[in-house]
Amino acid sequence: MIRLEHVTYTYPDAASPALNDVSLELPEGQLILVIGPSGAGKSTLLRCLNGLTPHFSGGVLRGAIHVAGLDPVSVTPRVLSRHVGFVFQDPEAQFVTETVEDEIAFALENAAMSRQEMRVRVEETLDLLDLTPLRDRPIKTLSGGERQRVAIAAALALRPSILALDEPTSQLDPKSAEDVLNSLVRLNQDLGLTIILAEHRLERVLPYVDSILYLPDDDGPVLFDDVRTMMGKIELAPPLVRLGKALGWRPLPLTIKEGLRFSRPWFAEHSVAALRRSKPQPARNGEPSIRARGVKVRFGQQEALRGIDLELWPGEIVVLMGRNGAGKTTLLRSLVGLVRPHAGVIEVAGQNIAGQQVADICRKVGYLPQDPNTLLFAESVEQELRVTLRNHRMDAEERKIAALLQRLKLHDKMNAYPRDLSVGERQRVALAAISVTQPGALLLDEPTRGLDYAAKQELERMLREWRDEGMAILVVTHDVELAAAIADRVILMSQGEIIAEGPPADVLATSPLFAPQIARLFPESGWLTVEDVLGANGRCQD
Amino acid sequence: MDVSVKGALTPNAWRAASHLRRSIHSMAWMAWVAAIVVIATLTRNPWYLGLVIASVAFVRRRCAAPSESPHATLLSPVRFSLLVITTAALFNMAMVHVGATVLFTLPPWIPLLGGAWTLEALAYGALNGAALVSLFLGFSVLNRATSVRSLLRLIPRAFYPVAVVTSIAVSFIPTTLQQIEQIREAQAVRGHRLRGVRSWLPLLIPLLEGGMERALQLAEAMTARGFAGGVETRDRWPQMLTLTGFVGLVAGWLLQIVWRQQEAGAALLAFGALLLLTGLWRAGRRHPHTVYRPEQWRARDWLVAVAAGAAALAYLLPLFARETLFYYPYPALSWPAFDWRIGLATLGLLAPALS
């Protein structure tokens, strides 16, 4: 079905190849997950399947590729579009038309299909992805999950036998991601569609996939096997699997259901240790860094925030969660003055921010927007920091800049052009650019989007360090495992209101949507991370 | 012919559904706007211009769906029209110092402005403004009643890739505006205060790079779905034909204009046009594609197109009292003449508002 023989591909002007001597054979009809660190060539590999690489990207490709009996290098992407559907990471960036139906019909129009046949195809495709009720809707009115389903439908309109998806759930909340993944499973099971999916958030996708393709970023071997075997072989694993490995559960559990078979008896033996050792709440002294009272924001007729009360204290990490469109980003933006509430008071470091300029507020509060790329424009990493300091008319002390870069592990990239760096590095540069003023509070919007496992751990470490030094940190995220790992306090929002607030063990563990894997395994324990469980295990053996 | 599929609409229900979306064919709207352009260019008679503006305003009220974008309501069309007419009138009065009815006189040593300010100049300026307003209103109706994409469908098939790329470029404008806002905010977050043009310069880099990245992503997405921008073929005929045709057109035109060879020029022009069309037709066959939901041309579209055509012809052809078109207030303001047949034909512009 899909066969790569000694494929080496180098992007134009690149020093080293993105894919180095890759040979593999992927079986038909499976749901295959492609994992590996950033820069290992996951996207490039997917693009090789439908000829975007090298036809679209240029560069040099050596070796042979066979996809659905064709050679993507010698036939055009147009021919391959009938055999391989492709869904991109950003739902926004892939839509050509304005309405759902037209979007699905686009590929059919390009294939010069007769109108009668097109009608049948569009109907079927709408049915396949449960989009019939949305058929006439303009795409811009759809939610993130719905958009991604439209993108899948559009890719499937030509009935390809292979569907490739490049991080399709990275921008979705847990529920929307689940909807998209369930659609994929159904396509795979009902139609026998071969699905190849690249994704960083293993805990989300692992229960759904048949096998895993692992691309290393160094010269290590490319690995391919069924999920269970692969989970035994590689380091990268979701919390459930890490725990299973640590406690020697065999066969390794992959779903919560499988995990519960082990965790229930294990918990019965070790329950003594579960004596609720909730994390010590950081002491609150002095003033809160940010205080919001009765904040209401309205966009036209729509109420985005309906009376938010919030306090953010020095030395705590608060994680803000909720479905897409719950008002999380609006809340963050109103805290730095980018959105002005029509009622309520926001105080930053004890001062009311009404009437203050965004630039002045942001000297005391660092704000990292969803897309860190919009922040970067200077010639070098070091310059980015100097520009911020100059904007605020602050002195650029060599020592301080060097220390911050050292801390964010960017010191060897000091003179690099920021936009050439990897996703994780770019995000750290953006973080450096907003925190060089040493603000008392830090607001981060979806900081783990697109980050691989290592970059995510690095971010967690940095946030904890800053927290311990007394910074107040507020993180908006869909990533439940990140919340479990770093939160001192969790706030859940829905429809512009705070619906729950408290220690993560209380708020997250009971939520059907936002519970991390470990909380699902040990519902009564208050444990959230693998470390919590292993710590309890350690205490038991003492 | 009828394929019955579970959940599929029958062809009739289908057609009904697609009619709900756009009631008048884009081509009919184009004919309507073309008529307005012709009339607004040809006449300065206040009666006729008034009729055009009134008809178009009426059509605008009846047909045009209210636009969703908040920017559209920034300046009401009434206020904009008044602004245009006043500005044109004052400008003309300040610049043109002829006419019998002198309102006041500025000292002649003032460059441009000096001299007699006359009622005639004011009137003629206002009429020019009114012609502009009728054009503006006509296009604003077109803009609201049809989508850019349906207009682009009218582009010949040879230009299909061009049409799609243009339609994407058009949809990029709102995204780019959004992007500008995002970047402006991101810079404010870094303490960047926007004062003057120089402070905007840093925003250009992320904007351009972001725009390039999105354009590439979209191009990739389109390629992945079988949209081939440049199809590689060995068929050089379309290029040869269009090129020769174009050369023929230019040569024919030159013959007519420069060397006064009317017949030979006309023949060459016709020949060039034929070659050009053949070339485009051949090129069009290289881009096979179909349209999912083509617009339906119905009786009502005939009505709009024919009425608009009649209105334009009444002004173009010397059928009726053509001299009434060229109203000229100089040297002394006079009462403009009115021919009821031309007036009646002008009311053909109301056709889109019928039914």
Side-chain angles (χ1 to χ4, degrees):
Chain A
M1 183 86 191
I2 297 173
R3 205 167 73 239
L4 273 70
E5 289 164 13
H6 302 288
V7 171
T8 299
Y9 172 74
T10 315
Y11 278 100
D13 304 325
S16 56
L19 295 174
N20 198 359
D21 196 21
V22 175
S23 297
L24 52 91
E25 197 167 342
L26 301 179
E28 214 166 321
Q30 285 202 357
L31 211 166
I32 300 164
L33 174 65
V34 184
I35 55 176
S38 296
K42 299 190 292 296
S43 297
T44 312
L45 180 74
L46 292 186
R47 281 167 170 75
C48 280
L49 301 182
N50 71 343
L52 282 180
T53 301
H55 287 280
F56 188 84
S57 54
V60 185
L61 192 138
R62 268 189 228 101
I65 308 176
H66 305 276
V67 175
L70 295 166
D71 174 10
V73 181
S74 62
V75 302
T76 58
R78 189 186 160 97
V79 175
L80 272 164
S81 69
R82 290 167 170 272
H83 303 276
V84 184
F86 204 100
V87 177
F88 296 83
Q89 184 174 5
D90 188 354
E92 324 288 312
Q94 52 194 311
F95 293 126
V96 185
T97 68
E98 278 152 354
T99 65
V100 173
E101 257 182 280
D102 289 347
E103 190 62 31
I104 295 173
F106 179 74
L108 305 176
E109 291 181 335
N110 289 332
M113 193 173 280
S114 80
R115 203 165 300 150
Q116 198 70 35
E117 213 179 335
M118 261 201 264
R119 234 151 54 194
V120 177
R121 285 285 182 92
V122 169
E123 290 303 325
E124 288 175 353
T125 315
L126 285 169
D127 278 345
L128 267 182
L129 287 146
D130 295 323
L131 290 169
T132 317
L134 306 176
R135 58 186 306 157
D136 284 325
R137 290 266 296 276
I139 290 170
K140 63 181 173 193
T141 65
L142 302 181
S143 75
E146 288 167 343
R147 282 181 203 201
Q148 204 52 288
R149 267 164 44 221
V150 172
I152 295 173
L156 287 181
L158 282 170
R159 304 226 189 106
S161 53
I162 300 168
L163 179 65
L165 304 98
D166 195 359
E167 299 191 39
T169 73
S170 68
Q171 311 200 0
L172 305 181
D173 67 49
K175 175 75 178 81
S176 308
E178 213 179 290
D179 289 347
V180 168
L181 289 166
N182 278 324
S183 306
L184 290 180
V185 169
R186 218 179 58 179
L187 291 169
N188 174 249
Q189 290 178 348
D190 294 359
L191 306 183
L193 189 71
T194 307
I195 298 180
I196 301 167
L197 170 81
E199 187 63 69
H200 282 306
R201 292 188 189 171
L202 287 178
E203 64 277 5
R204 277 189 177 177
V205 292
L206 212 56
Y208 302 94
V209 302
D210 298 314
S211 49
I212 291 181
L213 175 66
Y214 177 77
L215 293 177
D217 63 348
D218 45 22
D219 285 337
V222 173
L223 304 172
F224 177 75
D225 218 320
D226 69 279
V227 184
R228 226 175 287 273
T229 321
M230 282 297 285
M231 277 293 115
K233 277 187 204 167
I234 54 176
E235 217 37 35
L236 226 56
L240 168 67
V241 175
R242 268 166 53 217
L243 185 70
K245 277 187 187 172
L247 298 179
W249 294 347
R250 289 282 175 278
L252 213 51
L254 299 176
T255 62
I256 297 297
K257 191 173 153 190
E258 289 173 5
L260 281 170
R261 282 214 306 271
F262 297 100
S263 69
R264 285 208 182 101
W266 191 89
F267 188 62
E269 278 171 40
H270 297 75
S271 59
V272 203
L275 289 170
R276 285 283 294 269
R277 290 209 170 185
S278 54
K279 282 186 195 170
Q281 286 295 308
R284 290 177 174 178
N285 37 29
E287 284 255 305
S289 300
I290 292 177
R291 175 186 276 148
R293 282 193 308 265
V295 171
K296 290 182 183 171
V297 169
R298 198 184 286 148
F299 296 125
Q301 294 294 312
Q302 195 197 349
E303 281 206 82
L305 296 180
R306 312 163 185 247
I308 298 282
D309 295 310
L310 173 93
E311 281 178 358
L312 186 63
W313 293 81
E316 67 169 351
I317 298 179
V318 177
V319 169
L320 187 58
M321 303 188 83
R323 297 285 312 265
N324 287 342
K328 307 181 298 287
T329 298
T330 308
L331 177 57
L332 278 204
R333 287 159 53 83
S334 63
L335 294 181
V336 288
L338 288 170
V339 172
R340 298 292 178 172
H342 70 87
V345 180
I346 297 170
E347 286 171 5
V348 168
Q351 283 179 323
N352 191 339
I353 62 163
Q356 284 189 41
Q357 277 200 26
V358 176
D360 295 323
I361 303 168
C362 284
R363 197 163 165 172
K364 289 169 282 184
V365 186
Y367 167 64
L368 185 72
Q370 261 183 32
D371 182 3
N373 288 335
T374 52
L375 281 174
L376 306 177
F377 63 88
E379 290 296 315
S380 72
V381 171
E382 193 198 359
Q383 276 301 319
E384 294 282 2
L385 307 197
R386 288 181 185 277
V387 167
T388 308
L389 289 172
R390 198 160 56 230
N391 284 339
H392 288 297
R393 299 197 178 72
M394 294 166 85
D395 292 329
E397 282 177 51
E398 296 294 337
R399 203 167 39 81
K400 269 190 187 165
I401 289 179
L404 182 63
L405 289 177
Q406 181 89 34
R407 183 167 207 179
L408 294 175
K409 302 204 170 152
L410 290 166
H411 45 284
D412 48 343
K413 301 274 177 4
M414 210 158 122
N415 296 316
Y417 183 55
R419 285 170 172 264
D420 284 344
L421 301 174
S422 75
V423 189
E425 286 165 340
R426 256 181 295 172
Q427 197 211 29
R428 292 211 292 277
V429 177
L431 208 52
I434 57 155
S435 64
V436 68
T437 58
Q438 297 180 310
L442 207 53
L443 313 178
L444 312 171
D445 199 351
E446 289 290 348
T448 58
R449 194 163 119 167
L451 294 195
D452 65 6
Y453 189 70
K456 208 170 116 176
Q457 277 208 318
E458 193 55 35
L459 179 76
E460 287 174 12
R461 179 190 66 79
M462 264 151 27
L463 293 183
R464 284 204 196 95
E465 261 184 48
W466 269 325
R467 187 254 328 260
D468 294 341
E469 287 165 18
M471 204 186 266
I473 299 173
L474 180 60
V475 182
V476 164
T477 187
H478 289 316
D479 189 332
V480 290
E481 303 300 340
L482 174 79
I486 61 167
D488 297 310
R489 190 150 64 93
V490 174
I491 296 176
L492 283 191
M493 276 183 77
S494 175
Q495 312 224 301
E497 286 173 322
I498 291 180
I499 53 165
E501 182 181 356
D506 296 344
V507 179
L508 290 183
T510 55
S511 159
L513 213 52
F514 299 108
Q517 285 192 321
I518 298 298
R520 288 172 204 256
L521 286 176
F522 304 100
E524 304 295 315
S525 64
W527 293 331
L528 295 171
T529 61
V530 177
E531 287 67 34
D532 290 347
V533 183
L534 296 181
N537 191 28
R539 285 198 299 283
C540 256
Q541 276 152 12
D542 284 346
Chain B
M1 181 69 183
D2 272 15
V3 183
S4 82
V5 181
K6 199 178 122 258
L9 288 171
T10 63
N12 282 332
W14 180 267
R15 230 162 270 141
S18 58
H19 284 166
L20 284 177
R21 304 177 62 198
R22 205 148 288 126
S23 44
I24 296 177
H25 199 281
S26 312
M27 199 61 115
W29 277 120
M30 290 297 282
W32 182 79
V33 161
I36 294 173
V37 172
V38 165
I39 297 174
T41 338
L42 285 182
T43 188
R44 285 294 176 273
N45 184 316
W47 296 120
Y48 301 150
L49 282 176
L51 272 178
V52 171
I53 292 177
S55 313
V56 174
F58 186 70
V59 171
R60 189 184 152 95
R61 277 192 80 93
R62 279 294 303 274
C63 299
S67 158
E68 287 158 24
S69 132
H71 303 290
T73 53
L74 271 180
L75 201 58
S76 84
V78 179
R79 276 168 62 187
F80 181 76
S81 305
L82 288 177
L83 186 76
V84 169
I85 293 179
T86 327
T87 318
L90 290 177
F91 185 77
N92 199 51
M93 183 163 71
M95 294 298 154
V96 180
H97 305 285
V98 284
T101 327
V102 176
L103 298 175
F104 56 89
T105 310
L106 286 185
W109 48 264
I110 302 178
L112 288 177
L113 303 181
W117 288 45
T118 68
L119 191 61
E120 283 75 20
L122 183 78
Y124 198 67
L127 288 177
N128 278 329
L132 278 181
V133 163
S134 55
L135 287 177
F136 158 73
L137 285 177
F139 277 100
S140 85
V141 172
L142 183 76
N143 192 24
R144 293 171 95 184
T146 65
S147 79
V148 177
R149 283 175 215 282
S150 62
L151 292 181
L152 285 164
R153 288 239 166 97
L154 305 178
I155 295 178
R157 208 151 66 132
F159 301 122
Y160 177 64
V162 181
V164 176
V165 171
T166 317
S167 78
I168 285 157
V170 166
S171 65
F172 252 70
I173 294 169
T175 358
T176 306
L177 287 178
Q178 222 178 338
Q179 185 83 0
I180 290 179
E181 190 51 30
Q182 253 182 34
I183 292 170
R184 199 187 60 77
E185 282 182 358
Q187 298 304 330
V189 159
R190 293 183 56 184
H192 189 74
R193 289 167 181 77
L194 290 172
R195 297 193 199 92
V197 183
R198 268 180 64 93
S199 65
W200 277 94
L201 283 178
L203 306 197
L204 280 177
I205 295 160
L207 185 69
L208 288 179
E209 295 213 359
M212 276 300 289
E213 273 164 27
R214 276 177 303 132
L216 279 177
Q217 268 175 22
L218 190 63
E220 243 190 345
M222 290 172 66
T223 315
R225 280 155 67 194
F227 177 83
V231 184
E232 287 166 40
T233 60
R234 300 237 162 86
D235 187 7
R236 293 269 164 244
W237 273 106
Q239 273 178 25
M240 298 294 293
L241 285 170
T242 38
L243 196 69
T244 326
F246 189 67
V247 170
L249 280 179
V250 173
W253 180 67
L254 282 176
L255 267 183
Q256 284 198 327
I257 299 291
V258 183
W259 293 287
R260 306 279 167 200
Q261 299 285 321
Q262 292 302 331
E263 289 80 21
L268 208 52
L269 274 176
F271 179 65
L274 190 72
L275 283 184
L276 197 67
L277 288 176
T278 321
L280 289 182
W281 175 75
R282 267 200 89 130
R285 295 207 320 174
R286 281 205 314 218
H287 299 283
H289 87 287
T290 46
V291 178
Y292 174 55
R293 221 164 15 191
E295 288 182 273
Q296 306 287 322
W297 183 273
R298 291 168 307 150
R300 206 176 145 190
D301 302 310
W302 278 119
L303 178 72
V304 172
V306 168
L313 285 182
Y315 286 80
L316 276 172
L317 301 180
L319 297 174
F320 311 122
R322 204 159 187 250
E323 64 285 352
T324 59
L325 301 186
F326 313 112
Y327 172 72
Y328 201 59
Y330 306 114
L333 209 57
S334 62
W335 200 248
F338 179 75
D339 185 84
W340 64 272
R341 291 164 302 188
I342 294 183
L344 201 64
T346 312
L347 288 180
L349 293 179
L350 282 172
L354 300 179
S355 81

